[in-house]
């Protein structure tokens, strides 16, 4: 049956029809014999918080530098807001970059650091000061204008670097591991703050990180990089719950992989399957539809709120199960080692991966 054309025609404001903030097509970059980026096609929507996640050397920073214009691609196209900027210099692109090492001028005050870009662009003194103070207020540093960078904490310095980029009012902000130098607690605080600032000002953020937790916490969508190309693009829930490859299943979170004889014995089918450690329960009565597997606990590691059990399955594979310590204490954990156990999980939590 023919569909009604009217229903097939998307409304003009559907995201698919909006010009993306960034479009990369067939992007490649080689440095001599090193193929850093081996074919990236990607669209990032206006106002998106987009993360590029992947191990060291997978090409994330190179893609960021290609967007910024610090590198020229070996082949392919970079578009910003629909315009081909592939051959344009960095200052001719409506983007700003925040680096991990802040790159603040140590001899200048905070407000002078923030104003600097505007001064170079010959913006008048008064407007400069107003915009710099407004940018400092956005990053919650009003009142810190006259300090020197050395009189600030790491998190505050990072926020000055952010204000210095925001003061230029770019359409796109590129962030290269901006929280990499901070300790874990501050890093987690800044993750929430960055996300809040991005929501408040509504510009596109492209965020490079190798920390999967960080990417899952902050992003609207994530591209997972592996060896110079993108393995998967999706929302945090898609990438975590429906990994498209063994690499993604393993890199984003921890995954247990079942394949070959172990898969056939436990799941009744051959192939490659992933199960997240937190989906596996130890002992207890299986419910209809549960998968079960017997084995021996070879290690149990107490980590405060959770315990991590390593179980050698009778069918051959070794899996990790993560349990919340609702009742368990660190002393109980010792006694679990080298005991027999039946693992169970819901069949729908078994993710089939491409072979
Ligand atoms: P990291 O998380 O460590 O920053 P990354 O995923 O950002 O890694 P890139 O910095 O993009 O990776 O590097 C990708 C590959 O390109 C690596 O093998 C790297 O050594 C190489 N590379 C990057 N820049 C250059 C350069 N200027 N000259 C030669 N090789 C380079």
């Amino acid at each position: 049956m023919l569909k009604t054309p009217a229903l097939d025609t998307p409304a003009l404001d559907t995201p698919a029809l909006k010009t993306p903030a960034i479009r990369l097509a067939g992007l490649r970059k080689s440095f001599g014999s090193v193929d850093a980026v081996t074919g990236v096609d990607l669209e990032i929507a206006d106002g998106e918080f987009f993360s590029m996640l992947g191990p060291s050397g997978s090409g994330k920073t190179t893609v960021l530098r290609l967007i910024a214009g610090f590198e020229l691609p070996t082949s392919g196209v970079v578009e910003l807001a629909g315009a081909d900027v592939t051959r344009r210099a960095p200052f001719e692109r409506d983007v700003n970059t925040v680096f991990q090492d802040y790159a603040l001028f140590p001899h200048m005050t905070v407000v002078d650091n923030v104003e600097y870009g505007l001064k170079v662009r010959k913006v008048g003194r008064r407007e400069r000061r107003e915009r710099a103070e407004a940018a400092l207020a956005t990053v919650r540093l009003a009142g810190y204008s006259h300090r020197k960078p050395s009189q600030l904490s790491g998190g505050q310095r990072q926020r000055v670097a952010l204000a210095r980029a925001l003061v230029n009012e770019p359409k796109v902000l590129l962030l290269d591991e901006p929280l990499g130098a901070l300790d874990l607690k501050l890093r987690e605080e800044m993750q929430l703050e960055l996300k809040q600032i991005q929501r408040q000002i509504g510009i596109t953020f492209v965020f490079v990180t190798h920390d999967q937790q960080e990417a899952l916490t902050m992003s609207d969508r994530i591209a997972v990089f592996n060896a110079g190309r993108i393995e998967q693009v999706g929302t945090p829930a898609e990438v975590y719950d429906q990994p498209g490859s063994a690499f993604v299943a393993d890199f984003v979170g921890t995954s247990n992989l079942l394949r070959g004889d172990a898969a056939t014995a436990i799941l009744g089918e051959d192939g490659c399957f992933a199960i997240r450690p937190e989906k596996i329960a130890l002992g207890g009565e299986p419910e209809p539809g549960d998968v079960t597997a017997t084995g021996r606990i070879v290690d149990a590691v107490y980590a405060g709120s959770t315990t991590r059990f390593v179980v050698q399955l009778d069918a051959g594979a070794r899996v990790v199960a993560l349990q919340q310590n609702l009742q368990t204490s660190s002393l109980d954990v010792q006694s679990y080692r080298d005991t027999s156990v039946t693992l169970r999980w819901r069949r729908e939590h078994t993710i089939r991966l491409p072979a």
Side-chain angles (χ1 to χ4, degrees):
M1 197 180 81
L2 284 177
K3 287 183 185 166
T4 320
L7 292 178
D8 264 355
T9 314
L12 278 176
D13 60 351
T14 54
L17 285 189
K18 280 195 179 155
T19 308
I22 301 169
R23 194 173 82 89
L24 309 176
L27 206 58
R28 291 170 185 274
K29 177 69 184 176
S30 303
F31 298 100
S33 61
V34 178
D35 296 326
V37 178
T38 57
V40 164
D41 296 282
L42 182 65
E43 286 191 1
I44 299 176
D46 205 17
E48 223 180 345
F49 196 120
F50 192 91
S51 292
M52 301 203 280
L53 172 70
S56 183
S58 58
K60 316 172 295 283
T61 298
T62 304
V63 169
L64 202 78
R65 291 173 61 80
L66 288 165
I67 298 171
F70 300 134
E71 305 283 356
L72 279 180
T74 308
S75 62
V77 173
V78 177
E79 278 180 18
L80 294 175
D84 184 343
V85 300
T86 317
R87 303 278 141 196
R88 280 195 209 157
F91 64 86
E92 294 174 312
R93 303 181 184 204
D94 201 357
V95 300
N96 264 98
T97 309
V98 179
F99 299 98
Q100 179 182 340
D101 60 6
Y102 322 135
L104 300 178
F105 299 117
H107 59 285
M108 287 188 190
T109 61
V110 164
V111 72
D112 286 343
N113 262 285
V114 176
E115 274 187 19
Y116 184 77
L118 299 178
K119 199 169 172 181
V120 171
R121 282 164 40 206
K122 308 247 181 305
V123 175
R125 191 189 175 84
R126 196 185 168 138
E127 182 186 340
R128 245 171 31 216
R129 190 52 51 120
E130 275 172 15
R131 281 170 64 177
E133 295 289 359
L136 283 168
T138 303
V139 300
R140 287 176 260 296
L141 279 183
Y144 288 78
S145 304
H146 299 292
R147 293 211 194 173
K148 293 275 175 62
S150 61
Q151 296 168 314
L152 300 175
S153 71
Q156 289 167 337
R157 258 178 259 167
Q158 186 51 270
R159 279 186 272 165
V160 176
L162 188 61
R164 202 174 48 171
L166 293 177
V167 80
N168 299 315
E169 297 169 358
K171 284 251 168 51
V172 171
L173 196 63
L174 306 174
L175 302 108
D176 192 359
E177 303 249 6
L179 310 181
L182 306 179
D183 66 48
L184 183 66
K185 201 157 170 50
L186 189 53
R187 197 180 166 115
E188 287 174 349
E189 280 171 25
M190 282 296 293
Q191 287 170 3
L192 298 179
E193 238 176 79
L194 257 185
K195 177 77 196 159
Q196 236 171 23
I197 291 170
Q198 188 265 345
R199 271 207 208 108
Q200 183 189 329
I201 56 179
I203 66 172
T204 310
F205 272 34
V206 184
F207 187 89
V208 164
T209 180
H210 61 264
D211 180 333
Q212 44 101 8
Q213 207 54 52
E214 188 160 284
L216 290 173
T217 308
M218 303 175 77
S219 320
D220 295 318
R221 284 191 309 149
I222 301 171
V224 184
F225 277 70
N226 180 21
R229 54 183 197 84
I230 295 175
E231 287 256 339
Q232 188 174 356
V233 182
T235 63
E238 281 166 356
V239 168
Y240 189 80
D241 291 333
Q242 298 150 35
S245 67
F247 176 85
V248 174
D250 201 41
F251 191 75
V252 184
T254 316
S255 265
N256 296 298
L257 294 182
L258 287 184
R259 42 162 64 108
D261 292 344
T264 310
I266 295 167
L267 300 166
E269 40 183 336
D270 197 4
C272 182
F273 301 88
I275 306 111
R276 297 291 186 191
E278 70 274 16
K279 304 291 191 206
I280 302 177
L282 274 81
E285 207 45 47
E287 290 177 21
D290 277 0
V291 174
T292 58
T294 54
R296 254 190 128 59
I297 297 174
V298 291
D299 202 4
V301 181
Y302 179 81
S305 62
T306 55
T307 297
R308 187 172 168 275
F309 293 92
V310 182
V311 177
Q312 180 65 47
L313 298 179
D314 298 335
R318 187 171 273 216
V319 298
V320 172
L322 202 64
Q323 305 291 289
Q324 269 195 298
N325 289 333
L326 297 174
Q327 316 280 346
T328 317
S329 75
S330 59
L331 291 176
D332 300 330
V333 166
Q334 309 288 338
S335 65
Y336 292 134
R337 287 205 186 105
D338 210 29
T339 57
S340 295
V341 68
T342 300
L343 303 183
R344 62 191 167 86
W345 64 89
R346 302 213 47 84
R347 186 164 283 275
E348 64 264 30
H349 291 149
T350 312
I351 307 158
R352 181 186 268 282
L353 300 169

